[in-house]
Amino acid sequence: MLSSKPRTSGLVAWLTAIVLVAAPLPAAATQTAAGTAALACGDGSYQAEAVLSGSTWTARNGGTTVYTGTSMLAAMQAAVGSLTAGRTSKQRVVVRGSGSMSAGSRLSLPSYTVLDVCGTVNVTGSGSGDQAVVYARGVTDVEVQHLNVTGAPLYGIFVRNGVNITLGQIDLRLSSGLGIRVDNHGDRSVRTRNVRIDNVYVSGTSAHGVETYGLDGLTIGTVTARNTGESGLLLNDTLNATVDTVDAQNAGTGTGYAAFRMANRNGRIGNAYPTNIRVNQVIARGGGRGVFCVSESGGAVINRVDIAQTGNNAILIENCYNVTIAAQSGTVTGPGDIRLAARTEFPVTSDIVIQNLTVTNSAITENPCGVNTTFRNNTLVNSRQTIC
């Protein structure tokens, strides 16, 4: 049956921009979040390289050899260290070969560095703190074009307090840890700005697949999450974000985490929630939740959702403000339900639009009553609706 219950006194903000997804490019090239073709791994000019031959790594800058030995990490760090000191434009390091490094170590990238790893880094052993396969802190203009990681790092990539950060084609097939974290927690008074993530595949983490905290300006192409211990993509206190696709299977199974989660005043600008978080589509199968907005977050529009078989709520909006779900279309298939809720320690949920959904073997529930909530053009199939 059709359920329509408009109850809004103001105008609902509609997202009018259509995000176009280009057809896959040949294997020789990849696609960036901006839609431009990127070179295959290792192609193009570079200033330094680390190359594996047999069991020996050699790092060179031009005609100068800066490292020879058996350590992949030492070779990569030597190549990075050989770049021009005090540079104010990007210089590039290409890594050719696969190897291993300890979870208790990291490759540190300074400002104006481009890293392109044409091989796989396998992380072994244990570590603590903020160790990561690739680590950058307090940096400007850092780029990781390609990176493949296996094993159990604490973090695959960890960036703290940066400006102009670009992550290209990232493949993280892990057995523990967190995939990618970008935050501003070295100095929370200054946001990490202008971050672009083109295409991430992440699986097997014990924590989130991709997590941001304290950003202003984020563009993401696709996050593909498989069997992550917590959320596929989690945005915390992040402003002005555009995400094309979150595609998650079994993200946060047995937990309250979600394929796509917004938390900790995500999308809040000053004391208001203007629309500044735009997501083209969220696909979720299994796992904990599909979409979860919590703890005074909002200012978000999700164009399309395709959610089924979640173990917890398919969609939970809890103490969030100005959020539109399925601006264009969507399907939700149970057993997980769609729920608008609120905790008493925060202002009640408000200005929520749930629309254009086909809801099957599920439910739509609003409890407690929100303010200025709208439910319209939703088709209920073997589903119930309990709203205020």
Side-chain angles (χ1 to χ4, degrees):
M1 67 179 179
L2 288 177
S3 172
S4 179
K5 188 181 176 226
R7 294 189 290 106
T8 122
S9 58
L11 293 176
V12 177
W14 290 91
L15 184 68
T16 57
I18 297 175
V19 179
L20 298 179
V21 180
L25 293 174
T30 52
Q31 194 80 2
T32 70
T36 57
L39 293 174
C41 193
D43 285 358
S45 62
Y46 56 89
Q47 284 66 46
E49 64 177 349
V51 179
L52 178 65
S53 178
S55 59
T56 300
W57 283 94
T58 302
R60 304 182 186 89
N61 187 318
T64 302
T65 297
V66 295
Y67 174 83
T68 300
T70 59
S71 170
M72 182 182 193
L73 176 59
M76 294 190 295
Q77 198 69 71
V80 169
S82 74
L83 301 177
T84 303
R87 60 192 176 277
T88 56
S89 61
K90 288 181 180 179
Q91 293 187 353
R92 182 171 179 242
V93 171
V94 175
V95 180
R96 306 182 194 276
S98 300
S100 63
M101 62 183 284
S102 168
S105 60
R106 64 192 182 197
L107 171 63
S108 295
L109 300 184
S111 295
Y112 300 104
T113 300
V114 178
L115 177 70
D116 202 13
V117 180
C118 307
T120 298
V121 182
N122 184 52
V123 180
T124 61
S126 61
S128 62
D130 56 1
Q131 305 289 11
V133 175
V134 174
Y135 178 85
R137 178 168 180 165
V139 295
T140 298
D141 288 85
V142 164
E143 183 173 352
V144 180
Q145 295 176 321
H146 295 85
L147 180 67
N148 298 332
V149 179
T150 57
L154 293 170
Y155 300 90
I157 298 175
F158 192 171
V159 179
R160 172 156 283 177
N161 286 93
V163 177
N164 301 335
I165 307 300
T166 302
L167 306 179
Q169 307 299 310
I170 311 298
D171 191 305
L172 308 172
R173 298 171 191 256
L174 310 180
S175 56
S176 187
L178 191 154
I180 296 172
R181 181 176 168 109
V182 182
D183 70 27
N184 71 335
H185 287 184
D187 180 359
R188 297 195 191 197
S189 69
V190 180
R191 287 186 177 272
T192 288
R193 293 186 290 109
N194 191 23
V195 176
R196 193 186 90 200
I197 303 173
D198 289 337
N199 194 330
V200 177
Y201 178 96
V202 56
S203 66
T205 62
S206 54
H208 308 296
V210 177
E211 180 182 18
T212 70
Y213 213 132
L215 274 58
D216 186 355
L218 171 67
T219 302
I220 295 178
T222 299
V223 174
T224 303
R226 297 291 184 265
N227 303 304
T228 54
E230 295 176 346
S231 294
L233 172 62
L234 169 56
L235 305 184
N236 297 295
D237 186 25
T238 292
L239 311 177
N240 300 312
T242 300
V243 179
D244 184 29
T245 300
V246 179
D247 178 352
Q249 294 179 11
N250 301 321
T253 299
T255 76
Y257 288 109
F260 174 58
R261 184 176 192 247
M262 297 176 286
N264 297 300
R265 294 185 170 178
N266 194 76
R268 175 166 163 160
I269 298 178
N271 292 319
Y273 295 86
T275 300
N276 67 102
I277 309 297
R278 295 174 171 87
V279 180
N280 188 39
Q281 63 178 338
V282 175
I283 303 166
R285 291 292 181 274
R289 294 181 167 115
V291 173
F292 186 14
C293 181
V294 67
S295 54
E296 297 185 296
S297 298
V301 173
I302 301 176
N303 283 344
R304 297 189 297 274
V305 297
D306 179 359
I307 301 170
Q309 288 92 48
T310 58
N312 212 309
N313 312 99
I315 298 171
L316 175 57
I317 309 297
E318 183 178 83
N319 301 105
C320 286
Y321 320 101
N322 185 27
V323 177
T324 297
I325 300 293
Q328 295 177 4
S329 64
T331 60
V332 170
T333 302
D337 64 347
I338 300 165
R339 184 181 172 205
L340 272 62
R343 301 179 186 180
T344 57
E345 63 262 39
F346 301 122
V348 69
T349 295
S350 65
D351 301 305
I352 308 300
V353 179
I354 306 293
Q355 64 181 20
N356 301 329
L357 292 175
T358 298
V359 182
T360 304
N361 299 327
S362 181
I364 300 175
T365 303
E366 180 184 11
N367 184 26
C369 295
V371 175
N372 196 32
T373 56
T374 302
F375 304 83
R376 65 182 168 212
N377 196 34
N378 297 311
T379 301
L380 305 181
V381 180
N382 193 33
S383 300
R384 67 187 184 278
Q385 177 170 275
T386 306
I387 58 178
C388 298

